[in-house]
Amino acid sequence: VQILLKLWRNGFSLDDGELRSYSDPTNAQFLESIKRGEIPVELQRLVHGGQVNLDMEDHQEQEYVKPRLRFKAFSGEGQKLGSLTPEIVSTPSSPEEEEKSILNAPVLIDDSMPATKIQIRLADGSRLIQRFNQTHRIKDIRDFIIQSRPAFATTDFVLVTTFPNKELTDESLTLQEADILNTVILQQLK
């Protein structure tokens, strides 16, 4: 384990951690172990008997300044909740991709009729946002998905509402009748 000990005018810090006062007896014991060339008990517990490389920086002419935390983007995988078997979800598509999908798969909107926006989270982790008239049918959402992502044309999938999850089985219902105005719809593969 690599550890950086920084000595300040008013205390010391390990790596980019909090300032630890020289006057605290625990911290004094920690520094005394280092002066004797020993690994402090605290670090021994941290590495469970492994090897410790301790580097030191002298900043004793300076007051401790709390370091700004570096932004680290989440780089892991996500799992969709509400499913018996977890489904790996990739990062959502960019706004540019969403804009392209709207342009490539137009839905005819009657501006004289009330409209709604539906966000569709696809099984591949990407998402689509599209305006529909409230009189459009659930089948129109399915058709829009297939037009936007032709790979799903041969795939068997269902459309589901978010919490509480409800499968939209009657595709002849209008969006208003199905009570899914301005909502998020999930695509789940069968």
Side-chain angles (χ1 to χ4, degrees):
V1 176
Q2 187 74 30
I3 296 177
L4 178 61
L5 172 68
K6 294 181 181 178
L7 300 172
W8 304 94
R9 180 181 303 152
N10 51 343
F12 69 93
S13 63
L14 294 175
D15 293 326
D16 284 331
E18 293 292 319
L19 178 70
R20 298 167 69 168
S21 172
Y22 290 130
S23 60
D24 183 332
T26 309
N27 295 337
Q29 207 174 27
F30 182 93
L31 289 174
E32 202 54 45
S33 296
I34 291 175
K35 286 179 187 173
R36 288 192 307 264
E38 299 171 358
I39 299 173
V41 178
E42 177 184 332
L43 297 181
Q44 288 175 0
R45 277 188 241 134
L46 178 73
V47 297
H48 305 293
Q51 187 175 357
V52 176
N53 292 326
L54 184 67
D55 289 330
M56 295 176 66
E57 287 182 6
D58 186 9
H59 298 277
Q60 290 183 342
E61 299 83 42
Q62 304 168 3
E63 290 287 320
Y64 170 78
V65 178
K66 187 172 183 172
R68 290 174 43 165
L69 296 176
R70 288 184 216 100
F71 175 75
K72 183 180 179 210
F74 176 73
S75 60
E77 294 177 336
Q79 294 189 349
K80 185 174 154 193
L81 300 177
S83 176
L84 292 176
T85 56
E87 195 175 302
I88 301 300
V89 179
S90 66
T91 56
S93 60
S94 68
E96 293 82 22
E97 289 174 9
E98 289 170 16
E99 208 48 49
K100 278 193 280 186
S101 70
I102 290 173
L103 297 174
N104 292 341
V107 173
L108 298 175
I109 304 291
D110 182 352
D111 288 325
S112 66
M113 303 284 289
T116 184
K117 265 192 181 174
I118 303 286
Q119 183 183 124
I120 305 156
R121 293 200 182 145
L122 301 176
D124 65 4
S126 62
R127 65 182 176 155
L128 302 170
I129 300 173
Q130 180 62 45
R131 276 186 68 222
F132 292 93
N133 285 118
Q134 294 180 6
T135 55
H136 275 105
R137 305 205 175 271
I138 294 172
K139 177 151 182 32
D140 295 321
I141 296 176
R142 177 180 289 277
D143 294 340
F144 170 71
I145 292 171
I146 292 170
Q147 288 175 352
S148 300
R149 301 286 198 279
F152 289 122
T154 57
T155 307
D156 196 16
F157 65 88
V158 293
L159 300 175
V160 179
T161 62
T162 55
F163 187 80
N165 284 17
K166 181 178 82 176
E167 189 174 326
L168 300 170
T169 52
D170 186 357
E171 294 191 355
S172 65
L173 289 176
T174 66
L175 304 183
Q176 189 167 19
E177 291 168 341
D179 194 26
I180 57 169
L181 303 179
N182 295 316
T183 60
V184 176
I185 301 296
L186 308 173
Q187 176 198 38
Q188 292 183 346
L189 302 179
K190 280 190 173 180

